[in-house]
Amino acid sequence: MATLLSLLAAAVALVTCMLLFDASILSLLVLVPISVVVFCLSLLIGHFLSEPLSDLAKKTAAYRNGADIPFEPDGRMLEADQLTVDFKQLVQTTKQQQHDLAIKEQRQNEFISDVAHELRTPLTAIRGNAEMLTDPDLPPSLHDKFCDIIVNESERLSRLTHDLLTLQRIENSPIPEEMQRVNLRELASNVVDALHPILQDRQANTLVTGEAPDVLGNPDSLRQAITNLVENASRFIQPGGHITVELAGVNGNSVVAVKDDGCGFGDVDPKLLFDRFYRTDASRTRGTGGTGLGLAIVKSIAEAHDGTVEALNLPEGGACFMIAIPSIPADISEKKVTRK
């Protein structure tokens, strides 16, 4: 309909020009075919110009309806190709966000399931032993035994709750607002001194060696990470075993390596050790008293400081856990840095 109207308008304009300028019939007969050809050419050019945009509009509508439509430039029109590239990037960004959201939701569901499972064990033990205490004929020796179990499970439940809150705090706000220069040798020595009663009770021989360049970090968080590694090592050594905290500077990073001469973690993918609630066969008995969150907290702290954490079995036996954090030059004056 629009084409017919355009053609009619062109014909009327042509006749009007002929009448105004007193053109001959012969001129009219010559101009009419030329006008028709020009008009057809304009329609053809308009079609080729609008077709890429029409195809892009159809693809957009199909994608909006849920179809998996590829957006690729075809070279027919520069502007249409630019729009297609923009749509392609938008689609890729949307798919990546959907994928990340699905992974996050899956992790949250797994985390809730793991937490429920971990909480169920001590609660069941507490309830079962509490019910046994209601027996009036219970011998005093069993009474004391059941009370000790309740106390131990309550303490483990308290540690689990504390670790859950710590992990949530780190992951919700991974980068501390205030970070400062931290001397890792001094920090590691303070950690060992603070853990002395526990290490002495487990008959652990602990040594801090080496030096590492200072790092820009949150002292409390880094202290928590080193504490978790040292305490974790102390759970898997024999009485009289050795724990060594080695510090070094490697390729612009400050490295804290906690080594022990215990049983190691066997033939296990080291990355799994830093998953929440993951336990190797050696610690599955829960006799170590761990919550399964200590190494996950270490990983979160290291990543919050733009660092990494690794684990490996030592050739001579035992395990080694290493935190690597970017060093800061020694000539920079000590100051607090606020990150917004």
Side-chain angles (χ1 to χ4, degrees):
M1 186 63 180
T3 302
L4 293 177
L5 290 176
S6 300
L7 185 59
L8 180 59
V12 171
L14 180 61
V15 172
T16 303
C17 291
M18 294 291 298
L19 294 176
L20 290 176
F21 294 100
D22 194 22
S24 64
I25 298 301
L26 180 61
S27 300
L28 179 63
L29 295 177
V30 173
L31 289 174
V32 167
I34 295 176
S35 301
V36 171
V37 172
V38 171
F39 178 75
C40 292
L41 287 175
S42 65
L43 288 179
L44 185 63
I45 293 173
H47 172 73
F48 282 111
L49 289 176
S50 63
E51 185 179 14
L53 296 176
S54 299
D55 292 343
L56 182 58
K58 292 178 182 178
K59 289 182 178 180
T60 304
Y63 177 77
R64 188 171 59 249
N65 292 329
D68 187 11
I69 302 296
F71 287 87
E72 296 293 342
D74 54 18
R76 290 184 296 173
M77 183 179 177
L78 178 60
E79 290 78 4
D81 288 346
Q82 291 175 342
L83 283 174
T84 302
V85 171
D86 291 340
F87 274 110
K88 180 180 179 180
Q89 294 176 349
L90 180 61
V91 169
Q92 290 176 345
T93 301
T94 302
K95 287 183 177 180
Q96 184 62 43
Q97 290 175 344
Q98 291 175 343
H99 177 69
D100 294 343
L101 184 61
I103 292 179
K104 183 178 180 180
E105 184 177 357
Q106 180 183 359
R107 288 177 177 175
Q108 288 178 342
N109 292 335
E110 292 176 351
F111 183 61
I112 293 174
S113 176
D114 290 340
V115 170
H117 175 75
E118 293 296 322
L119 292 177
R120 185 184 301 116
T121 302
L123 289 175
T124 300
I126 292 172
R127 178 177 178 178
N129 286 277
E131 290 176 349
M132 295 296 295
L133 291 176
T134 60
D135 185 357
D137 299 326
L138 188 68
S141 59
L142 290 180
H143 182 278
D144 294 340
K145 176 183 178 181
F146 293 149
C147 286
D148 290 340
I149 293 176
I150 292 175
V151 171
N152 292 334
E153 291 298 323
S154 299
E155 290 176 349
R156 194 165 74 86
L157 188 60
S158 178
R159 291 194 300 270
L160 177 60
T161 304
H162 176 269
D163 286 350
L164 285 171
L165 293 175
T166 301
L167 188 61
Q168 182 186 37
R169 174 178 54 79
I170 295 171
E171 294 187 346
N172 287 344
S173 181
I175 301 179
E177 292 185 358
E178 290 190 355
M179 303 179 74
Q180 64 188 55
R181 177 187 290 274
V182 179
N183 186 309
L184 292 177
R185 174 60 187 257
E186 180 181 352
L187 191 68
S189 299
N190 292 339
V191 167
V192 172
D193 290 341
L195 292 177
H196 178 71
I198 296 176
L199 297 174
Q200 187 178 30
D201 182 63
R202 296 172 183 172
Q203 302 180 33
N205 299 297
T206 310
L207 179 65
V208 179
T209 64
E211 294 286 347
D214 293 348
V215 299
L216 186 66
N218 180 271
D220 293 335
S221 297
L222 294 176
R223 184 180 294 107
Q224 176 76 62
I226 298 176
T227 298
N228 286 8
L229 292 182
V230 174
E231 189 174 6
N232 181 72
S234 70
R235 299 178 190 277
F236 299 101
I237 60 173
Q238 297 296 324
H242 297 80
I243 300 174
T244 304
V245 183
E246 293 186 1
L247 298 102
V250 181
N251 297 328
N253 290 323
S254 298
V255 179
V256 180
V258 178
K259 301 179 179 180
D260 65 71
D261 57 0
C263 58
F265 50 84
D267 188 16
V268 175
D269 184 355
K271 295 181 180 179
L272 295 177
L273 300 175
F274 301 97
D275 289 345
R276 298 164 175 168
F277 300 116
Y278 181 83
R279 287 187 173 89
T280 61
D281 292 338
S283 61
R284 235 182 265 270
T285 60
R286 305 179 187 272
T288 60
T291 62
L293 292 173
L295 295 180
I297 292 174
V298 172
K299 179 182 177 182
S300 296
I301 293 174
E303 292 178 347
H305 288 78
D306 297 326
T308 59
V309 62
E310 298 180 8
L312 55 91
N313 284 308
L314 297 174
E316 63 273 17
C320 174
F321 290 84
M322 296 177 291
I323 301 176
I325 298 174
S327 307
I328 58 177
D331 56 351
I332 295 180
S333 60
E334 185 175 352
K335 60 181 181 179
K336 291 187 177 181
V337 178
T338 301
R339 292 188 179 183
K340 297 181 180 180

